[in-house]
Amino acid sequence: MNYKTPKAWAVLIVMCVVGVVAILTWNSNGVKSAMKNKEENRSLDVYQNPLRTYSSGLNLIFFADGYLSFKEFDYDIQVLLQQLRSIEPWKSYDSYSIYKVRPNELDICTVKTENERKPTLRCDAEKINSYLNQLKTDRFKLIVLSRRNFQSWANVSRLSDSGIFFSIPKSPRDETEKGTLGILFAHKMGHAFGLKDEEVFVIAKADSAAHKPDGPNCAPNKETAEKWWGDLVGKDAKVGYFPGCASKAEYIKPTKGSLMNLNELEFLTDSYGPVSERYLRKILDYCFSEKQYSISDDPEFFALYPEFRECVTQ
């Protein structure tokens, strides 16, 4: 081609323009791709979703408070889950969907002592919800693991979404530390599904659900207890009618010792006891499994705990 002709110069100009546009387009796409990757990496720094989810499974959302890395946060989660899953009915259940959230902020929660009966973790509900809303899960239990030092606590709730606020100032390293932490976590998980303290010394506020002897493991009197768990008395040597639960000595509990009695260490066991274990297993079956149930499958249970009717067909 003769580059001195007007036609040749026109061709060269067009080729240059096309090249510049191509370079700009590539750069633009590269920037967009880099921004997308950065956004995804930032999201991974905050959220870790389960590799597999169950449409009707149990959603446990672990939320970090004060953790400086996902590695140490994940380590504590694995310790707690390993300990929990050594205890029935959690051991036999396998439809867990585990979500992990480590927020960018380190001040969402704080320890409050004023007007509290004990050092208590209080969190900014609006900020936590802004993270939870991104997960779009159905029923869930929120578990806030905190590096702050306070007395761990949990909402006493049966089916509704509720929270466990768990103090882990430092990660457990030996088996004794892991086991001790696991027992306390299993105790709080019991509360999160409605179990009461099988002891008289209850720190929860007097008007809270923790003080109501409305089952499953605390009855107002022996006559009621006989209706609730009398079918197990005689079949299991551990089950009977023992005084003291939900803060009242006159209330009746089904076992002397269990995971729901952390005050009388001489009776402490690594079990919820037959009554509470049966109750928890029914919740997992009726509300957090793929199998379909109806009220007619267990009319006495659904009459005693009507909130669980929404889990089954009428």
Side-chain angles (χ1 to χ4, degrees):
M1 179 184 293
N2 186 352
Y3 293 102
K4 296 181 179 181
T5 67
K7 182 177 180 181
W9 279 109
V11 170
L12 283 174
I13 291 171
V14 168
M15 290 175 64
C16 290
V17 170
V18 170
V20 170
V21 170
I23 291 171
L24 290 175
T25 301
W26 183 86
N27 284 339
S28 175
N29 290 336
V31 170
K32 288 179 181 177
S33 178
M35 290 177 66
K36 181 180 179 182
N37 289 336
K38 184 177 180 181
E39 190 68 28
E40 288 177 350
N41 289 335
R42 186 172 65 181
S43 178
L44 286 175
D45 288 341
V46 175
Y47 298 97
Q48 282 190 10
N49 294 334
L51 295 176
R52 179 181 178 183
T53 59
Y54 299 87
S55 59
S56 300
L58 176 58
N59 297 313
L60 298 180
I61 303 175
F62 287 87
F63 193 95
D65 172 50
Y67 281 84
L68 299 180
S69 74
F70 228 119
K71 183 178 179 180
E72 63 180 19
F73 178 45
D74 188 61
Y75 174 85
D76 287 350
I77 293 172
Q78 297 310 315
V79 168
L80 293 179
L81 289 177
Q82 183 180 34
Q83 295 296 319
L84 184 70
R85 298 200 65 184
S86 69
I87 299 166
E88 293 291 359
W90 315 112
K91 183 178 180 179
S92 300
Y93 182 77
D94 60 4
S95 297
Y96 298 95
S97 295
I98 308 299
Y99 295 84
K100 305 167 188 177
V101 183
R102 191 178 74 89
N104 295 314
E105 304 95 325
L106 294 176
D107 59 350
I108 289 179
C109 303
T110 185
V111 176
K112 187 172 178 288
T113 56
E114 187 178 354
N115 298 323
E116 300 284 353
R117 301 179 68 180
K118 60 187 183 301
T120 302
L121 191 73
R122 298 297 183 192
C123 303
D124 187 321
E126 185 175 344
K127 288 184 179 180
I128 287 184
N129 285 333
S130 70
Y131 284 96
L132 299 186
N133 289 339
Q134 302 300 313
L135 300 178
K136 299 183 174 20
T137 58
D138 292 325
R139 299 189 192 98
F140 65 84
K141 297 296 180 181
L142 171 68
I143 302 161
V144 177
L145 300 188
S146 177
R147 279 294 191 235
R148 305 176 202 278
N149 199 352
F150 60 94
Q151 185 155 347
S152 301
W153 64 283
N155 301 118
V156 177
S157 172
R158 288 178 179 147
L159 184 61
S160 60
D161 300 340
S162 61
I164 296 173
F165 302 84
F166 204 77
S167 175
I168 310 184
K170 63 178 183 177
S171 296
R173 291 302 170 185
D174 59 42
E175 293 306 310
T176 299
E177 289 181 353
K178 292 177 182 178
T180 300
L181 210 60
I183 286 173
L184 181 58
F185 183 62
H187 178 89
K188 301 306 177 186
M189 279 288 285
H191 282 319
F193 288 87
L195 294 184
K196 306 302 170 66
D197 285 308
E198 294 180 9
E199 56 193 63
V200 175
F201 303 101
V202 177
I203 299 178
K205 293 181 179 179
D207 59 347
S208 72
H211 292 269
K212 296 178 181 178
D214 55 357
N217 60 330
C218 188
N221 49 59
K222 185 180 178 182
E223 181 182 2
T224 304
E226 288 172 347
K227 295 177 182 177
W228 290 352
W229 62 77
D231 61 313
L232 294 177
V233 176
K235 294 181 181 178
D236 192 306
K238 296 187 288 291
V239 181
Y241 308 107
F242 303 96
C245 58
S247 78
K248 298 287 185 179
E250 62 268 27
Y251 293 164
I252 305 299
K253 61 187 178 184
T255 53
K256 267 189 177 181
S258 79
L259 286 168
M260 300 313 295
N261 182 357
L262 300 185
N263 243 349
E264 299 173 285
L265 296 182
E266 65 270 29
F267 300 128
L268 181 63
T269 71
D270 59 355
S271 164
Y272 288 105
V275 172
S276 294
E277 184 182 317
R278 176 173 67 175
Y279 163 85
L280 290 173
R281 195 180 300 279
K282 287 185 176 185
I283 295 176
L284 293 176
D285 286 342
Y286 298 154
C287 297
F288 300 100
S289 73
E290 299 295 332
K291 186 175 179 181
Q292 296 295 312
Y293 292 89
S294 67
I295 291 176
S296 60
D297 289 320
D298 199 343
E300 291 184 5
F301 179 82
F302 292 110
L304 187 57
Y305 308 111
E307 55 265 68
F308 294 117
R309 292 180 182 178
E310 68 177 74
C311 299
V312 299
T313 58
Q314 301 299 313

